[in-house]
Structures are given as structure tokens and as C-alpha cells.
Amino acid sequence: MFSVLECVVYQHDLRFVLIAALVCILGNISLFVVLGRSTHCVDARRRHWLMVAAVAEGVGVWATHFVAMLAYRGSMPIRFDVGLTILSVTIAIGFFWCSFRLLGKAPSAARCAAAATGAAVGVAAMHFTGMASIIAPARVTYDLAPILVSLLLSGLCFFAAFLAFAKTRGWTKVALPAGFAVLAIVVLHFTAMSATTLVPDPTRGDILGTASSRDWLVPAIVIANVALVALALTGSLVDRWLTDAHGLADATLEALAITHDGRIIEVNARLCALLGVSSGAIVGSTPSDWFVAGDGGSFEAPDGHSAEARVRSSFDEDHILEIATQTIEYRGRSCQVLAIRDLTDRKRAQRAIEHLASHDALTDLSNRAHFARALDAAIDAKAPFALLALDLDRFKAVNDIFGHGAGDEILCRIADILRSVVRADDIVARIGGDEFLVIQTGVSEPDDARKLSARILDTLAIEMDVARDPMAVGVSIGVALFPEDGTNAEVLQRNADTALYRAKNNGRGNAAFFDQEMDELAQERRALEHDLRHAIARDQLYVVYQPLVATAFASVIGYEALLRWNHPERGEIAPDDFIPVAEEIGAIVAIGEWVLREACRAAAGWPKNVSVAVNVSTIQFQVPNLPAVVRDALSQSGLEAHRLELEITETAFLRNKHSALKALHEIRALGVRIAMDDFGTGYSSLSNLKAFPFDKIKIDKSFVASISDDEAARSIVRAIIGLGRSFNMPIVAEGVETQEQRQMLLDEGCPQAQGYYFGRPAADPFQAEAWPLDLPEMEKRDAEG
């Protein structure tokens, strides 16, 4: 009997021992290179690499075992059974496959232990299967204890190898695990070999006669193992390079296609997604099979520059591509790369930006800038057209009462109505607020514009019925014709606005055409506006004061400040002519502040028992600093606050009642008195008297003028006086011009009055000639006729 270890030590071929060691080292290095590669792959590819690793390690361990066995050069001839030899390598591969699957992508200590156990058992199973394949005139016996020890030591070494693989980085991730794995294989192999004994058996001497030679194993093992290691290492590197190259190509935002001789030979995933087909459907085709030129013609790859194209199967006109070409060397051949960029989103965004730049965001109609270009183009075309200027009636009231959200809804409804009544070639624009413009093309005669205006008015009347819809608005239209009413954009728009102004003055809700008389009135109006804006700076405005008297005794208790305008060319302009204009153009704010300061300055020099009343426009209540202006006027003039009285009309409450009441309370807190002017007309409401404690109510002069011969007017005056008495408010009658009117007011119990009967307005009411007559003189004057 003799030990196999003794044979290896004393009867060995050194060359085979070195080959076995080299095979073992190379096999384990390739193993961990491939395992490392598998951890960086997607799951589908990782399974392939785990199989490569299992084959590499299984064959490597098998080769180590059999090369070491072949190193024996003893007196006992040995052969190997082919079937069991193949089975042993299969067992090794299977166990390593299971171990690597157990190891996982992110190995933990428990997974490393499980994988190490499987690997150790696999090596042992391969070893003893290989031993069973020995054909010799002897029986093989084993010592169990050393074998168990070798199995345990091998498992510990494999555990150390897998743990080092999981925890280390860089070159140590291969070298250190490979070292532990080599140790695991050597420990198990040589320990198990030392526990193996061949007992000669003469009865098995004829078995060698039927066994094949073992010489075939030497080249087979060496060639297979070296080839396998080389292929595994090369495959890992090549796969990584190819995968990275494909990954880089697939990660680009551009679609790529490589062509040779006009045929596509390679594509990336982005192009497949763009065309909606697999790579197999694209490879082998021509670019013109998939693309058409931007103008719809046949596609030809641009040479050295980029060009726009479309996908042949797409019907979306925004689906635009930019294709650029470059020549490269690919697979040893000169090829063209088509870099395809999808411009669809950019084109849509660009179109949206252009649309927003030329259209109103709320109504989607043309805006002022786009309309100006369209108007210039229409003028340059020299063809007759009509320009319609539209302005909504009652829109401001709807906006104030129902809020801006309701106002926006109204504007959108108006836009839809206008779109529905004009032709496709006509242009509708919203140029701001509630102002719209329409270019009506192809107008051969004024009646065409008249018909369009009628359609707009009729459709609006149907869609917005005031009787059914409290938010309904109307529209006024001004029409100017090209070229009759102007040959440039500025003149046409100005004349259309002039016609619109005429339509509004004619009662609103109608259309007016521009004419020469209208132009003259418009020019006069514009001149008046211009002069009014500069009237203060040119010292053309002045204030006169009309006395406010006690009705019974005609004693002066105060004066009302009245504004006058002495124009250097027009002469004296009536307040009824210029004050509405000042309110429309916004000049009333500065003018009203100037009147307030002038009145306070003048009244500061009057007797202490005489007050001054100043009218405040509704427009001034829209300026939030009105209380501060009043406070500043009192402070600069030195006038006591209780001697100042502000007169307002109820229209001040219409726009924003809350802010108007807030301003009135702040002014009242200064000590200034507040009077309601022109009561009985317009929007007179008891709720306003209840909402704010006015100091005085003034009866409008239209009722006083009719009090002598109109019983209805006298009834209204009587009711207002009674109302004032109920609210404990003094009543003032305006416009008293005769003794009869004064007597009737006195009989009705009206305590205060003002009018020409008591004195005319004067710039300095305390000059002798400006003082009003005393009561006996007035009665004497009336008696004398």
C-alpha cells in the first residue's frame, strides 16, 4: 500500500505540477474578473456572465485536479474513464453556478458563507468524481477525517475569497479573492489526496486493457483551460467596451444611424424609439425609407451640414427633425453617421412663443403689435378695407360689481362673438382693456362695413340680453374706410376712434362712420384736452366763490368755490364744457387738488364764521391719497378743518363703495364736513345716507328751477327737506334765482340756499361790489321789477 501524496512528492513530473499551479491561478483570476464584470451588468446580461464565470472556475478547478493527477509517474499504470471525467467537470460547473447565484450582486456575509459552502462542496464533489474515474489495478480507499477537515478549510478559504471580493476595490478586488480561492482548491485537493490510498489488486490487472490511454488528457486540459481563460478575460473586456460604447450611444439625446453604401448598418435605441420600430426593421434599409425632406421631397443625406426633415409615417406637421452627417471609420470601413435631433418640442415651443408674442393672452385675439403689422400690410396692399374700432358699454360697471374674473369672462365671450361674425381673412384684435379693432378686408363699398357692424350689434344683442343677464354689456362701433378716411395707420385709427366717440355720444350701442365734420370736432376736442392739461401751469384757471345764505334772512354763512377757465383764444369756457373732459382724461385729479388748495388759502383770510365748500370729483376718490391731500391743504393754508366742507355726488360710491367710505371717514376724522351734492338725481339712495352721516344735503337746481310751476318738482323738494329733517341734516337748495323760489323754499322749511338771487360768484367775495344785497334791498328790487 502507498499514499498518492507520496507518489506526488517522490514520483512526480515537475512540469505538470507547475502547469497545475498556473492553471489554478489563471482560472481564479479570470473568475473574479468575470464576476466583477457581472456586477456592472443589467440582470439579463448578468446571468450570462455568471454562467461564463461558473464554466471558467469549474473547468479551472477540474484542470488543476487532473493536471496534478497527471503529474504522477509511479510504477502503477493509471488510466481515466472518459465519462466520469466529463461528469466531474459538469458537477464543478453546476455547483459554482449555484454558488455565484447565491452570492448575489451585493454580497453580504451570509451570502458569502452560503456561496463558500456550495463552492467547497462542488470542488469536493468534482474531486471525488474525478478520483472515481481512475482506472488502475488497485482499489481506492479514503481516510474520512482529513477529508472533512479539508472540506472545512476549503469552505473557510472560499468564504474569505468571496468576502474580500465584496469588500475590496481596485486591483485587490481580483488579486486577493483569487489568492484565497487558489488556497481553497489546493487545500482541499492535496489534503484529500493525502487521505487517499491505492491498494494493489491483482484481480483488476486486466482492466487496463480495455481502458483508453490517458495521454489525450494532457493537451485537452491545457488547451481547453488556456483557451477558456483567454476567452473569458477577452470576452469580459470586449463586452465591457462594446456595452459601454452602446450605452454611450443610447444615452445621447440624438438618434444615431451609421450607413455604408447608402444602407443603414447600425442604429441606437433613440432612433428606434423615434421611429417606433425595432433595430432589426431599420438595419439594412435606406434613410429615405424613413425620412422625407423638409419640403416634402425625397430625402438625401446632407453632405457636411445639417438639414431639416420629417418622419415619413408622421402626419404631425410639427414633427420636424434636424439631420447632420459626419464621415467616420467603422468596422474598418468608411461610413457616414447620421445624427438625428428631434426638433418637435423646440418648434412647438417656438411657435407658442411667437403666438404669445402676437396674441392677447386672455382672448387669444391679435394684440396691438400684431395688429399694427397687419394694418401696415393692409395699407401696403392698396386694396380697400374698413377699420372698425369697438368699445364695450357698461363694461366698467360689470367689472366693478361682479369682479375682474367676471370681466375676463365677458371679454372672452366678446372675442368669441367677433370671431364668429367676421370672415377668415378679417383680423380681430384686442388692444387693451375693453377696446377691440377689426380690419375688414375686401370692402368694395361702405355698405359692407355697415353690414358687418350690424351683424356684430345684432349678435351681441342676442348673446347678451340685459333683461336675462345682469353681466350683459353692449358695444359701440366707429368705422373708418381706407383710403377715403386716411392713407396711413395713424390717421385711420384716429378717425375710427373719432367715429367711435360719436357713436357713444349718440346713445351708445350703435355704429357711426367717420366724416369731415366729425374730424373737425375731434380736432377741436384734442386741442381742448391739450390746453386743459397745461391750464394750471399757464395760469389760466381761477376760482370764484358763490355765497351760501340762510334762506330766511339772506345772511351769508359760507361760500362755494367754483372753477373757471379763461382761455387766451376761446375766452371764458363754461365748466359744463371742460370739467367732463378733465374727468375723462384724468386731469381732474391735479385740477381738483389745485382748487382745494386755492379755496383753503382764500378762506383762511375770511371771517372765522364763514366756511368754504369745495366740490370733489368722483375720479379723485379713486386716488388713495385724497385724505392726505386734504390734510396737507389745511396745514399749508392754516384754515380750521370745521370751516372746510367737501361736496360729493353719489357716483363716488358706485366704483368702490368700501374705499369711498373709508376715505370719507378719514376726512371726517380731520374735522372736515361732508355734503351730498345734487341729491335727487342719478343714483340717489337712502342706503348711502345710512352708510355715512353726511353733514348736509344739497337739492339739485333742476328741481328748484321747476318748483314754481311743477307740482311734482315741489313734491320732490318737500320730500327731500323732510328726509333731511328726519336724518337731522341741513338742506341746501341750489339755483335759487327768484323771490318766488326763495319764498316757496322758505315755506317748505328749507333752511339754506344759494343762487344768483342771493349773489353772483366773485373772485373776491368780500369786495364791496361783490357782497349780496341785504333782504330789504332784495325785496325792494323785486317789487320794482
Side-chain angles (χ1 to χ4, degrees):
M1 296 184 296
F2 55 90
S3 168
V4 174
L5 180 59
E6 293 175 350
C7 295
V8 172
V9 175
Y10 298 108
Q11 302 179 29
H12 63 277
D13 188 332
L14 184 60
R15 293 172 300 170
F16 285 97
V17 173
L18 293 176
I19 291 174
L22 181 61
V23 166
C24 186
I25 293 171
L26 289 177
N28 282 283
I29 289 174
S30 66
L31 163 67
F32 288 103
V33 169
V34 174
L35 276 182
R37 176 62 189 148
S38 71
T39 60
H40 297 93
C41 293
V42 295
D43 289 342
R45 296 175 61 81
R46 181 172 177 273
R47 289 193 294 269
H48 300 158
W49 282 111
L50 288 182
M51 177 56 71
V52 173
V55 171
E57 182 66 358
V59 173
V61 172
W62 173 82
T64 300
H65 170 77
F66 277 94
V67 170
M69 292 293 294
L70 291 173
Y72 169 66
R73 289 291 184 268
S75 58
M76 183 180 294
I78 296 177
R79 300 287 187 271
F80 297 97
D81 182 75
V82 176
L84 289 176
T85 300
I86 295 174
L87 177 61
S88 66
V89 72
T90 304
I91 290 173
I93 292 172
F95 271 94
F96 278 115
W97 162 254
C98 295
S99 296
F100 298 154
R101 291 297 300 271
L102 287 173
L103 189 63
K105 207 168 186 177
S108 61
R111 284 182 170 271
C112 289
T117 301
V121 171
V123 173
M126 183 281 304
H127 176 85
F128 289 106
T129 304
M131 293 299 295
S133 71
I134 294 176
I135 302 174
R139 289 181 290 105
V140 181
T141 61
Y142 300 100
D143 186 357
L144 186 58
I147 291 175
L148 294 177
V149 172
S150 68
L151 186 61
L152 177 61
L153 292 175
S154 179
L156 291 175
C157 290
F158 272 123
F159 174 74
F162 292 144
L163 195 61
F165 175 74
K167 302 298 184 183
T168 57
R169 295 291 183 270
W171 65 271
T172 57
K173 192 178 182 70
V174 174
L176 193 59
F180 281 116
V182 168
L183 185 60
I185 295 168
V186 170
V187 164
L188 192 146
H189 177 77
F190 287 103
T191 302
M193 290 294 287
S194 67
T196 304
T197 305
L198 293 177
V199 180
D201 185 359
T203 62
R204 297 172 59 87
D206 59 344
I207 195 171
L208 292 173
T210 60
S212 60
S213 171
R214 70 176 187 174
D215 294 340
W216 66 273
L217 281 174
V218 177
I221 291 172
V222 173
I223 294 173
N225 196 71
V226 171
L228 184 63
V229 170
L231 287 174
L233 293 175
T234 304
S236 176
L237 296 175
V238 171
D239 177 77
R240 178 160 190 159
W241 180 81
L242 290 176
T243 301
D244 291 347
H246 277 283
L248 183 62
D250 289 340
T252 62
L253 297 178
E254 295 179 338
L256 300 176
I258 300 177
T259 66
H260 179 70
D261 289 340
R263 296 281 175 179
I264 299 174
I265 60 174
E266 188 64 83
V267 296
N268 68 346
R270 180 74 174 172
L271 181 59
C272 296
L274 178 66
L275 299 178
V277 296
S278 65
S279 60
I282 305 175
V283 173
S285 62
T286 64
S288 59
D289 293 336
W290 304 100
F291 307 112
V292 295
D295 58 3
S298 178
F299 173 79
E300 293 184 4
D303 186 13
H305 63 278
S306 61
E308 289 190 356
R310 300 178 186 272
V311 177
R312 182 177 292 276
S313 60
S314 176
F315 296 98
D316 184 0
E317 63 178 17
D318 285 332
H319 198 178
I320 300 173
L321 309 174
E322 180 186 29
I323 301 180
T325 62
Q326 186 173 354
T327 302
I328 65 168
E329 183 180 347
Y330 182 75
R331 297 178 184 175
R333 297 177 293 182
S334 178
C335 299
Q336 272 193 324
V337 176
L338 273 63
I340 304 157
R341 182 176 301 171
D342 191 348
L343 303 181
T344 303
D345 292 340
R346 183 190 301 178
K347 290 290 184 180
R348 286 174 179 167
Q350 182 179 349
R351 186 170 297 180
I353 292 172
E354 292 174 353
H355 185 83
L356 288 174
S358 60
H359 287 73
D360 174 51
L362 177 63
T363 62
D364 202 38
L365 296 175
S366 296
N367 60 15
R368 184 186 295 272
H370 182 251
F371 186 85
R373 293 193 295 270
L375 183 57
D376 289 339
I379 293 172
D380 293 340
K382 305 297 184 182
F385 66 88
L387 177 63
L388 282 69
L390 296 85
D391 189 81
L392 302 185
D393 303 327
R394 298 187 300 276
F395 176 74
K396 288 182 173 60
V398 171
N399 207 33
D400 293 340
I401 295 172
F402 296 99
H404 293 292
D408 290 347
E409 182 182 344
I410 290 292
L411 292 174
C412 291
R413 290 175 62 186
I414 295 295
D416 292 338
I417 290 172
L418 293 178
R419 271 190 288 260
S420 68
V421 298
V422 301
R423 295 171 302 183
D425 294 338
D426 297 338
I427 298 173
V428 183
R430 177 185 175 226
I431 60 172
D434 59 341
E435 301 176 39
F436 298 84
L437 290 173
V438 178
I439 296 177
Q440 182 188 14
T441 58
V443 176
S444 57
E445 55 184 18
D447 194 52
D448 293 335
R450 187 172 290 106
K451 290 178 180 177
L452 176 58
S453 300
R455 285 202 305 272
I456 294 173
L457 294 171
D458 292 344
T459 306
L460 196 69
I462 295 172
E463 296 291 333
M464 293 195 172
D465 186 355
V466 179
R468 295 184 292 105
D469 186 359
M471 293 198 307
V473 298
V475 66
S476 297
I477 304 174
V479 183
L481 301 174
F482 174 85
E484 296 92 330
D485 299 331
T487 56
N488 63 66
E490 182 180 357
V491 172
L492 273 174
Q493 284 192 255
R494 185 175 68 240
N495 291 343
D497 289 338
T498 301
L500 175 62
Y501 183 75
R502 167 72 66 86
K504 285 184 171 293
N505 286 343
N506 289 344
R508 301 176 182 267
N510 56 66
F513 279 71
F514 175 81
D515 57 33
Q516 192 59 38
E517 178 187 356
M518 199 180 294
D519 184 40
E520 293 173 359
L521 292 175
Q523 291 181 11
E524 183 178 351
R525 164 68 180 241
R526 285 192 293 273
L528 185 68
E529 291 176 0
H530 177 270
D531 293 343
L532 187 56
R533 287 190 176 96
H534 300 87
I536 295 177
R538 294 171 179 171
D539 199 24
Q540 297 173 1
L541 300 180
Y542 64 97
V543 179
V544 296
Y545 302 91
Q546 185 175 31
L548 171 66
V549 303
T551 309
F553 306 105
S555 58
V556 176
I557 58 177
Y559 288 90
E560 180 179 0
L562 303 174
L563 179 62
R564 295 292 185 264
W565 184 11
N566 184 13
H567 193 279
E569 298 175 359
R570 303 169 186 261
E572 289 288 337
I573 301 177
D576 289 343
D577 292 336
F578 72 83
I579 288 181
V581 176
E583 290 183 330
E584 287 184 24
I585 65 176
I588 194 65
V589 175
I591 293 174
E593 182 176 341
W594 179 83
V595 171
L596 177 63
R597 295 182 186 277
E598 283 292 308
C600 290
R601 182 190 59 76
W606 297 348
K608 299 298 183 182
N609 63 333
V610 179
S611 63
V612 64
V614 180
N615 287 282
V616 179
S617 169
T618 300
I619 307 298
Q620 290 178 266
F621 274 93
Q622 300 175 20
V623 181
N625 68 336
L626 179 60
V629 170
V630 175
R631 185 187 303 110
D632 188 54
L634 292 173
S635 176
Q636 289 185 1
S637 65
L639 181 68
E640 297 90 339
H642 70 274
R643 295 177 58 198
L644 174 63
E645 183 177 281
L646 298 183
E647 297 182 0
I648 68 169
T649 61
E650 287 193 279
T651 53
F653 294 103
L654 289 180
R655 185 168 184 85
N656 192 328
K657 187 172 184 178
H658 176 74
S659 62
L661 287 175
K662 182 175 180 293
L664 287 176
H665 281 291
E666 291 182 17
I667 295 171
R668 183 73 173 280
L670 299 174
V672 177
R673 292 177 296 167
I674 307 295
M676 181 179 287
D677 198 12
D678 298 336
F679 191 80
T681 62
Y683 301 95
S684 296
S685 170
L686 295 180
S687 64
N688 292 328
L689 293 178
K690 181 181 178 182
F692 185 82
F694 289 93
D695 297 289
K696 188 180 294 183
I697 297 176
K698 301 188 74 173
I699 304 174
D700 187 70
K701 61 184 178 181
S702 61
F703 298 111
V704 175
S706 305
I707 194 173
S708 302
D709 51 12
D710 189 343
E711 186 60 34
R714 185 164 185 170
S715 298
I716 292 174
V717 170
R718 184 183 301 118
I720 295 174
I721 294 172
L723 186 64
R725 191 178 298 116
S726 303
F727 280 94
N728 197 25
M729 294 181 188
I731 303 297
V732 180
E734 296 181 297
V736 178
E737 297 184 357
T738 66
Q739 167 61 19
E740 183 180 9
Q741 292 171 350
R742 168 186 166 272
Q743 187 60 47
M744 285 185 175
L745 291 171
L746 186 61
D747 294 342
E748 296 295 342
C750 181
Q752 299 176 15
Q754 66 182 96
Y756 287 166
Y757 179 76
F758 301 106
R760 291 183 175 275
D764 187 354
F766 289 93
Q767 292 179 356
E769 63 272 15
W771 277 83
L773 301 173
D774 58 25
L775 186 57
E777 289 180 348
M778 285 189 291
E779 291 176 346
K780 180 180 178 182
R781 182 192 63 184
D782 291 337
E784 293 175 352

